[in-house]
Amino acid sequence: MSATPVLCIVGQSGSGKTTYIERLIPELKKRGYRLAVIKHHPHDFDVDVEGKDSWRYMQAGSDAAMVSAPHKIALTRYVDHDLSPGELVDLVGDGLDIVIIEGFKKSDAPKIEGHRAALGKDLACASRDLVAVATDEKLDIAVDQYDLNDISAIADFIESKFLKKP
């Protein structure tokens, strides 16, 4: 199991999780960190393009297919269970300072929830693993709260709680 820190970004549908992560990535990169992002999807999906070689290999019965180019790789692999955040981090590889996962609200990994007042007062994650909320309103909860638009502040929080300076 990897020692790379894992942080899940969770929230209700429409709360802006993907956009928040998109804004967080360049802030953490600017600070010198290497990171990966994993999107957890509770349903089946397909990243292969029908008719392309890797798709054809999987259709023929291969348990995994990888496409490798000089600057990136893509892996498609059948699994027998919904992999845990730790198992996913092991697949991503070494050399990273943090792995951010969109989703996995039921895991035991630490979580930051994105919350919008327009979606109601309830949080998607009432877990003991909730470490902070990025929100557009003040909530009556006992975790750190940050303005949804203050990416620098949440990056400071992530840095202080999960990262060592490079």
Side-chain angles (χ1 to χ4, degrees):
M1 186 79 59
S2 174
T4 304
V6 174
L7 177 63
C8 296
I9 305 295
V10 301
Q12 295 179 26
S13 180
S15 64
K17 298 177 296 290
T18 300
T19 302
Y20 202 74
I21 293 169
E22 279 180 314
R23 294 177 62 209
L24 189 56
I25 292 168
E27 180 64 29
L28 293 172
K29 294 294 291 180
K30 179 176 77 175
R31 295 175 186 215
Y33 295 106
R34 292 181 41 92
L35 62 104
V37 177
I38 298 171
K39 163 74 172 171
H40 181 244
H41 196 286
H43 307 290
D44 196 18
F45 68 94
D46 197 3
V47 295
D48 275 341
V49 176
E50 186 173 344
K52 291 292 188 180
D53 294 349
S54 59
W55 179 86
R56 292 172 57 192
Y57 300 146
M58 296 300 283
Q59 295 302 306
S62 179
D63 294 306
M66 181 179 284
V67 177
S68 177
H71 300 286
K72 63 183 172 181
I73 60 170
L75 170 67
T76 302
R77 178 178 164 189
Y78 291 115
V79 295
D80 62 0
H81 65 280
D82 193 8
L83 299 181
S84 71
E87 290 170 313
L88 292 168
V89 170
D90 288 343
L91 283 174
V92 171
D94 296 328
L96 299 168
D97 298 305
I98 191 167
V99 174
I100 297 171
I101 300 179
E102 180 180 335
F104 272 116
K105 67 182 173 190
K106 293 180 181 174
S107 78
D108 60 359
K111 294 163 199 67
I112 294 175
E113 178 156 346
H115 171 77
R116 292 188 182 279
L119 297 176
K121 294 275 186 203
D122 293 334
L123 295 176
C125 177
S127 152
R128 61 180 162 71
D129 302 306
L130 185 66
V131 296
V133 176
T135 182
D136 60 359
E137 69 175 336
K138 179 73 174 139
L139 299 170
D140 187 21
I141 55 173
V143 297
D144 291 341
Q145 296 178 50
Y146 298 91
D147 185 290
L148 269 173
N149 296 310
D150 194 347
I151 297 300
S152 180
I154 201 76
D156 289 345
F157 172 79
I158 292 169
E159 196 170 42
S160 71
K161 297 290 186 191
F162 301 99
L163 296 167
K164 297 177 183 162
K165 283 283 193 189

